[in-house]
Amino acid sequence: MIYAVWVPLLMPFVAVPAARRLADALSPVRAVRLLASTAVGLGLFSTLALVLLVVPGATQLSAVAAVGELVKPLADAAPDVTVPLAAAAVALLAGCAVAVTRTARRHWAELHRAGVPGNGSDGELAVVRDSRPDAYALPGLPGSPGRIVVTTGMLRALDPAERDALLAHERAHLAGRHHLFLAAAELAALCHPALRFLRAPMGYALERCADEAAAVAVGDRRVAARAIGRAALAAHVAEEIEGRPRVALAATAGPVPRRVAALLGRATPRPRVGRAAAAALLACLALSGAAALDATHDLHSSIEVAQGESPEH
């Protein structure tokens, strides 16, 4: 177990370079699904690895050994190694649990506090009287469809066709429940520090999904690209606007020039890079999961031996 248990802790570092190449090389929808699966899977497997590191050290305590009915120590469990590892793993697990709990509570509180100022409409669209250009998709609580918030300043900055494209973009965020993918990536990043670098590719892929949906909705990729570019230029101060919830998704987020180039067909297709990156991420997931299962099996066998039982049972 001592070797296999480290694989899930190392795989996120290997996955990050492949993830950075994935968003531009695969279709946005496929990229989002694969990035979300990678983030959640590697986060869970790395957390399981920490749990497995706790057990050998914990069994050195007489109380734990008595509860587990251990008649002898676990095989290959040297106290001078396993006890410090267990203590470090416990500290990391506690830190992860606190961070995940705080983040989940903060997101929930933001959704509760995120009332829409302005016209008080209960419909999908809320127009806020504000000269500062801004627009974003505000996810709703469970059972609520969410809402599109746009300022009068943003509406004045765009022509009618561009407004339709911008609203279609934000509507795609709500329909696709894209905030859940971002939340999953953020929570996974709290379980392993390397996974924080998956959030940027995830955010870009989600914006590309909404860009493509907007292009389909208005029937003109140039109009969609122009709307995104002009909205981003108009909203260069929007990030400083207080009151926008951090769980909101905005069309002006992320690398806008790359998104516009992709809409206009100016980005260079890289199918081989996409396939290689996808294969690398799937391999990281498979190796991490297999190593975690192998380490779990080895630990279970060691506990059976320590209890005086045959490992076959």
Side-chain angles (χ1 to χ4, degrees):
M1 184 195 82
I2 193 63
Y3 300 108
V5 76
W6 295 105
V7 174
L9 298 174
L10 296 176
M11 279 299 105
F13 295 102
V14 180
V16 168
R20 288 173 174 168
R21 293 172 172 80
L22 190 73
D24 275 326
L26 283 185
S27 69
V29 173
R30 292 178 61 191
V32 165
R33 291 174 180 172
L34 187 51
L35 287 170
S37 301
T38 299
V40 172
L42 294 181
L44 289 175
F45 293 141
S46 62
T47 302
L48 176 58
L50 290 177
V51 173
L52 295 175
L53 285 173
V54 171
V55 177
T59 57
Q60 300 297 325
L61 301 175
S62 57
V64 175
V67 171
E69 299 180 353
L70 305 183
V71 297
K72 56 183 177 180
L74 296 184
D76 301 324
D80 57 339
V81 175
T82 57
V83 172
L85 279 177
V90 167
L92 290 173
L93 286 170
C96 290
V98 171
V100 168
T101 301
R102 286 180 176 176
T103 300
R105 291 181 63 183
R106 186 191 73 212
H107 282 192
W108 189 260
E110 284 182 350
L111 290 178
H112 272 283
R113 288 196 305 265
V116 179
N119 62 7
S121 171
D122 292 330
E124 177 195 48
L125 177 65
V127 178
V128 180
R129 293 188 178 277
D130 193 329
S131 60
R132 297 171 295 183
D134 197 15
Y136 55 88
L138 181 64
L141 294 169
S144 172
R147 183 173 295 180
I148 299 170
V149 182
V150 60
T151 65
T152 52
M154 180 62 80
L155 293 178
R156 285 194 294 267
L158 305 178
D159 64 34
E162 293 166 351
R163 293 174 200 159
D164 290 341
L166 180 67
L167 295 179
H169 176 102
E170 304 300 353
R171 190 174 294 113
H173 279 318
L174 295 178
R177 309 294 285 178
H178 290 171
H179 66 285
L180 295 179
F181 292 97
L182 280 180
E186 183 173 354
L187 293 177
L190 298 175
C191 298
H192 194 290
L195 295 178
R196 71 184 64 178
F197 297 106
L198 296 185
R199 289 182 292 187
M202 172 70 80
Y204 173 71
L206 288 173
E207 292 303 326
R208 286 283 298 117
C209 285
D211 291 346
E212 293 296 327
V216 171
V218 299
D220 191 328
R221 300 181 69 83
R222 290 185 174 275
V223 170
R226 191 171 70 243
I228 292 164
R230 291 187 64 183
L233 288 174
H236 65 282
V237 297
E239 296 299 327
E240 301 176 4
I241 296 178
E242 296 182 0
R244 180 200 284 182
R246 283 173 288 187
V247 294
L249 294 101
T252 55
V256 174
R258 282 171 60 195
R259 293 166 49 201
V260 170
L263 276 173
L264 295 178
R266 296 173 183 169
T268 304
R270 297 182 295 172
R272 291 185 179 180
V273 174
R275 288 193 292 269
L281 289 183
L282 291 173
C284 287
L285 270 177
L287 287 173
S288 184
L293 290 175
D294 183 57
T296 303
H297 179 268
D298 286 350
L299 178 61
H300 182 262
S301 298
S302 297
I303 291 175
E304 286 187 330
V305 172
Q307 289 177 324
E309 300 177 4
S310 171
E312 287 77 18
H313 296 317

